[in-house]
Amino acid sequence: MGTHERDGEDRGRGGVPPGGGLTTGEVARRLGVAPTTVRTWDRRYGLGPDAHTGGRHRRWTATDVARLERMCALTATGIPPAEAARTVLGEATQVAESVALTAPASADTPPQAQAPVRRPSDAPPLPPAHTRSRAGSGLRLGDVRQECKGIARAALRLDAVALDELLEAAIVEHGLVAAWTEVIMPTLQAVGRKWESSGERYVEVEHFLSWHVSGALRRGAPPSAADRPGATIVLACVPGENHTLPLEVLAAALAERGLPVRMFGGALPVESLVTAVRRTGPAAVGLWAQSRTTASRPLAQHVAAMEWGVRGARRKPVVLTIGPGWSGRTVTGLPRPTGLAEAVAVLESVVSR
């Protein structure tokens, strides 16, 4: 059984073990923040665990985690951390006072032994109820892996340290293909829906997340494989297409498998694409199009018809039309994989012929 499965055993409500609570590291992973952020919120704003247990490590209960989740939700909307902390602690004080008024203390418990109500000395009056944010991560993620929520929160906060840690952890734990398909892509899609429905807000979040995903791919990918005659794979975005991230993921996945890849990035002009194909003599060419306005059947057919090699042994590349832009624009005889795993499988098969 893996560590991830063991961590999930015997959890009480909210995923917190009923016996001793979560460690700071577990809380950080749950929230999608760096452990140093949790410790800073504890030290600077008093958002630490209410109960102090014996031993070196502090344990966080479901109530403690709920406060931090509220803190994440407020900071994700742009509220400064200090103001968010005052709001969280103020709300906790109101709840505690309400419970104290409605639940009489036991006659056997002296007043000084009762749990103190946490009240920040500098907490300002709470804002009116109608102005308080009730946002969670701010994104409609649906039924996704827990890591998606953490990555989304880190992206909304523009927290570079936490985002890098979470992306790296997802790739290590699930592998590149599964991490992209089940964690990273659903989060990117949720961010895209957010800014589309918010009047062009959150564009900076999408750019920030995409940049860090690209960085995580580059850091995690092995060195480029050496050329092998007839085994090189050329990847490029069609002219006018600048969405390179899915192609970067494909390049990294192929590099993991030791396949020689030549990546040319976004909006490669037609003449440059033709030159690159002639110079490399690839076994396969992957052409990415995000939009139907950039997908060009004539271009794909032209590249597929190119030949090289000595007379009697001339070769042509297998051209893959990749991306949603090719939907409804299928080119007869050219494979059109619908996902990352399928594209990797097709290219592996082509190279191994």
Side-chain angles (χ1 to χ4, degrees), residues 271-343:
E271 298 81 3
S272 301
L273 174 60
V274 170
T275 299
V277 171
R278 290 197 183 282
R279 291 183 61 184
T280 57
V285 177
L287 298 177
W288 174 269
Q290 180 76 17
S291 168
R292 294 185 65 180
T293 60
T294 61
S296 169
R297 283 199 194 98
L299 174 61
Q301 291 167 333
H302 178 74
V303 174
M306 294 178 63
E307 293 183 333
W308 53 83
V310 297
R311 183 173 298 179
R314 296 181 70 77
R315 301 184 58 184
K316 296 181 180 180
V318 175
V319 176
L320 281 68
T321 53
I322 314 171
W326 296 102
S327 178
R329 303 181 68 82
T330 303
V331 182
T332 304
L334 303 187
R336 184 181 175 273
T338 57
L340 176 60
E342 184 181 347

Side-chain angles (χ1 to χ4, degrees), residues 11 38 41 54 75 82 89 100 105 111 116 173-174 188 214 233 275 280 310:
R11 294 289 166 92
V38 176
W41 287 352
T75 55
L89 293 174
E173 180 172 354
H174 303 295
L188 284 164
S214 179
I233 300 168
T275 299
T280 57
V310 297

Side-chain angles (χ1 to χ4, degrees), residues 17 50 61 76 90 98 133 151 153 193 203 233 241 266 326 329 346:
D50 278 336
T61 66
S98 174
S133 170
I151 291 172
R153 292 188 183 109
R193 291 193 299 269
V203 173
I233 300 168
E241 181 59 72
W326 296 102
R329 303 181 68 82
V346 171

Side-chain angles (χ1 to χ4, degrees), residues 127-144:
H130 66 275
T131 65
R132 298 181 203 161
S133 170
R134 289 180 170 82
S137 68
L139 300 176
R140 295 180 180 177
L141 288 163
D143 184 16
V144 295

